[in-house]
Amino acid sequence: MRQVTSSVAVVIPARNEEQLVGRCLESVLVAARRVAIPVSITLVADGCTDDTVQIARQYPGVTVVELDASNVGSARRHGVEVACGSASSGVWIANTDADSVVPANWLVEQLRLAHRGIELVIGTVRPDFADLSAEQVAAWTATHVPGFANGHVHGANLGLSARLYEAAGGYPDLPEHEDVDLVARCATLNPVTLATDRCEVMTSGRQYGRTDGGYARYLRADLLAAVQEADSERTVR
């Protein structure tokens, strides 16, 4: 049965993001003003030792909560709990990261899909090219086709109904890949799912992240390797 979406809960984990959190919140606030239903924005400052909290609290309409877990899965989970509380019926949970910038149509597009009955939206991300070398930019461009959603899971651009989130058991307390784990558990429930690049999020192109894996490792170690491997295969053929 299709559920009417009555509100949106945006959840953003942050750990020492004083340089980037401002532009993230500004972009989310722009996206929130584009929709007609209530939008709450919850930023979870997890183990921050810089000015992330002070900066985030300067933005009206943003709820800032502090956590000392140094665990992104715990931060996302806590953020959802704060944002949704006990009234999760009709809530759409939109997830991004504090080092990311969402497009103005981010929530408009997710809600359009939710209205169509989509329960899980897997959005694409692209790195901030200003953080990459010319070689990395060329490699990323060569491996990403405009208009094609590859289906890779990124917590920086993920939306789902609170009903599905709860049924899947929510975010696990993992230091990385908590988004992949959640989506994998959602998949066992056979939700109506769509991968899309129509509301692509720009995320930091940093080469070293908060954990050993994740997107930073992909940009640093895996991106160029994937292109070199593809070139080698073409040469062999």
Side-chain angles (χ1 to χ4, degrees):
M1 181 178 65
R2 183 177 300 181
Q3 180 174 313
V4 175
T5 303
S6 56
S7 65
V8 178
V10 177
V11 176
I12 311 166
R15 186 179 180 190
N16 290 343
E17 293 290 1
E18 63 180 5
Q19 298 298 320
L20 300 175
V21 68
R23 72 174 191 174
C24 171
L25 294 176
E26 288 169 6
S27 71
V28 171
L29 287 166
V30 168
R33 289 194 288 267
R34 295 281 296 272
V35 301
I37 61 177
V39 177
S40 68
I41 303 170
T42 303
L43 182 134
V44 182
D46 181 23
C48 292
T49 57
D50 65 356
D51 289 333
T52 297
V53 171
Q54 292 85 341
I55 293 170
R57 284 184 172 152
Q58 295 175 12
Y59 290 86
V62 176
T63 298
V64 180
V65 295
E66 295 185 67
L67 194 66
D68 192 22
S70 296
N71 182 294
V72 67
S74 300
R76 291 195 198 277
R77 187 182 191 95
H78 186 63
V80 173
E81 291 172 354
V82 170
C84 294
S86 59
S88 60
S89 178
V91 178
W92 181 263
I93 303 171
N95 305 266
T96 192
D97 291 334
D99 68 338
S100 301
V101 176
V102 306
N105 73 328
W106 186 54
L107 296 179
V108 169
E109 182 63 18
Q110 288 195 27
L111 292 177
R112 183 185 72 82
L113 295 173
H115 182 71
R116 284 176 43 195
I118 305 298
E119 301 168 274
L120 174 63
V121 176
I122 301 172
T124 56
V125 304
R126 69 170 180 85
D128 185 344
F129 290 163
D131 296 332
L132 305 184
S133 68
E135 187 180 22
Q136 286 173 312
V137 171
W140 191 91
T141 303
T143 54
H144 291 75
V145 181
F148 176 76
N150 55 30
H152 293 168
V153 176
H154 301 280
N157 194 3
L158 186 66
L160 72 166
S161 69
R163 182 170 59 179
L164 175 61
Y165 176 86
E166 291 179 351
Y171 279 112
D173 296 322
L174 293 176
E176 62 182 11
H177 306 312
E178 77 297 336
D179 43 5
V180 176
D181 182 275
L182 173 62
V183 170
R185 282 183 284 109
C186 285
T188 67
L189 303 173
N190 298 313
V192 183
T193 303
L194 181 71
T196 179
D197 71 341
R198 293 188 61 173
C199 51
E200 188 166 82
V201 167
M202 184 183 75
T203 194
S204 166
R206 62 168 57 115
Q207 310 292 295
Y208 292 90
R210 307 301 186 225
T211 62
D212 292 335
Y215 200 57
R217 175 186 168 79
Y218 165 74
L219 293 174
R220 181 181 77 250
D222 301 335
L223 175 59
L224 294 177
V227 173
Q228 291 165 358
E229 181 179 351
D231 288 342
S232 296
E233 290 179 355
R234 283 193 291 269
T235 300
V236 170
R237 293 185 189 133

